[in-house]
Amino acid sequence: MAQYGSQEMSAPLLKVMMRRPGASLIKADPADWNYVTPFDSAKAIAQYQGFADLIVKAGAEIIWLEDQDDGLADAMFTHDPSLMTDKGAIILNMGKLRRRDEPALHEAVYQQHQIPVAGRITGEATVEAGDCIWLDPKTLLVGRGIRTNQQGIDQLTAILAPDGISVMAFDLPLWDGEAACLHLLSVLSPLADDLVLAFLPLLPVALYKLLKQRGIRIVEAPKDEFLASNGLSLNVLPTRPSELIMLSGFPKTTAALEAAGCTVETFEGDALCIACEGGPTCLTRPVHRQAA
């Protein structure tokens, strides 16, 4: 049986690629990486361990991508450089120039673990997995914005089409500008097959209508917590349907999720996630989720 495959966003998480922050984060210039200053790398690393402990508690196997002092501070956000399908990994091409070397790190890990590469995004085309959401195993939603361009969407569509997978693209707003990137997952977080957390003011209208047509319930992210966290109150990671990991410090969001029937585990991430602009979903590249 294959030990990889993930065309779902909330099925039980069995295997995940992660990278412990280390020398690259310690030596990072916050100005270069758009991190909040003053930046406390030691606290960020300690908080990462608390997050990793929750992944282990959830029963997922972690494939470690080690920090080899390569200077790639954002590489701890393993979600973005590759996308997993049931046929293997798609190696992406990052829209953020400082992250262009990260997909090669992912490909090396996949080779080490005998996970096939199903395709690559190349040339001037860009796709970041933060802009990709599996609505169902045959439908991939993609946000077209600062980090994912039309050429990338076209290449991704061509890679997936032979397996009967449809790609639906939605334009994203600029919001706070190019540096503070808005991914599709910045405004919509799947919680279960029929449940999402969304910040409605930034959700594309066509996507809102699609969710309603599909009968998918929407938990509305409280505006004050969303804005105070630069969107990270919405960045939640399902380890199985309606069982979630999220940042602590957002009681209104937590209460809304629990009212919708979700179980929520939290960890402290002000120095790690808030300061570096990436939440628990960003910190994980699901490699294997249990098929329905």
Side-chain angles (χ1 to χ4, degrees):
M1 181 180 295
Q3 296 299 305
Y4 60 87
S6 179
Q7 292 178 195
E8 302 186 39
M9 301 295 291
S10 61
L13 184 62
L14 304 179
K15 186 181 296 185
V16 60
M17 185 197 303
M18 295 171 59
R19 168 162 146 150
R20 296 184 188 89
S24 298
L25 188 66
I26 292 169
K27 297 177 182 179
D29 182 343
D32 287 343
W33 292 96
N34 202 46
Y35 296 165
V36 172
T37 55
F39 180 60
D40 188 339
S41 59
K43 185 177 181 183
I45 291 170
Q47 290 181 342
Y48 185 93
Q49 186 57 54
F51 170 66
D53 290 345
L54 291 179
I55 296 294
V56 172
K57 179 181 176 182
E61 175 190 352
I62 300 175
I63 298 174
W64 287 109
L65 169 59
E66 299 296 345
D67 183 343
Q68 301 289 350
D69 196 10
D70 50 27
L72 299 173
D74 268 2
M76 64 183 176
F77 298 123
T78 53
H79 191 86
D80 293 321
S82 64
L83 180 70
M84 186 56 63
T85 76
D86 292 345
K87 291 287 187 68
I90 299 175
I91 307 302
L92 303 179
N93 197 19
M94 305 296 282
K96 185 174 181 177
L97 292 178
R98 295 187 67 87
R99 301 192 67 184
R100 284 293 175 94
D101 291 335
E102 293 180 30
L105 301 179
H106 282 222
E107 185 163 6
V109 171
Y110 294 134
Q111 289 175 347
Q112 179 185 354
H113 290 270
Q114 292 79 53
I115 296 170
V117 170
R120 292 179 177 82
I121 305 300
T122 62
E124 297 300 313
T126 61
V127 177
E128 294 190 359
D131 282 323
C132 300
I133 295 176
W134 291 102
L135 182 65
D136 60 50
K138 290 295 184 180
T139 310
L140 183 69
L141 311 179
V142 181
R144 182 171 41 235
I146 295 298
R147 301 289 178 80
T148 297
N149 62 23
Q150 185 60 49
Q151 297 99 307
I153 294 169
D154 291 343
Q155 288 190 17
L156 191 58
T157 300
I159 292 168
L160 296 173
D163 294 311
I165 297 169
S166 299
V167 174
M168 303 181 67
F170 300 89
D171 287 322
L172 296 174
L174 183 60
W175 199 36
D176 283 340
E178 293 188 30
C181 166
L182 187 79
H183 280 135
L184 184 59
L185 277 167
S186 302
V187 298
L188 180 69
S189 282
L191 310 173
D193 287 346
D194 62 349
L195 185 67
V196 297
L197 174 66
F199 185 60
L200 294 184
L202 292 178
L203 192 68
V205 171
L207 179 50
Y208 172 78
K209 290 183 176 180
L210 176 63
L211 296 174
K212 301 291 282 187
Q213 290 168 359
R214 290 289 190 98
I216 295 173
R217 294 179 294 140
I218 301 174
V219 179
E220 295 187 32
K223 184 175 182 179
D224 56 346
E225 293 185 348
F226 183 89
L227 296 177
S229 66
N230 286 324
L232 289 172
S233 62
L234 182 142
N235 192 295
V236 299
L237 174 70
T239 55
R240 59 186 57 247
S242 298
E243 294 187 16
L244 318 171
I245 297 174
M246 66 175 289
L247 289 166
S248 61
F250 304 108
K252 292 181 182 178
T253 306
T254 302
L257 292 169
E258 291 175 342
C262 297
T263 301
V264 182
E265 295 258 25
T266 63
F267 69 101
E268 293 186 8
D270 57 325
L272 173 66
C273 297
I274 301 297
C276 299
E277 298 187 333
T281 297
C282 306
L283 290 165
T284 51
R285 164 35 52 206
V287 172
H288 193 197
R289 283 189 182 272
Q290 183 174 308

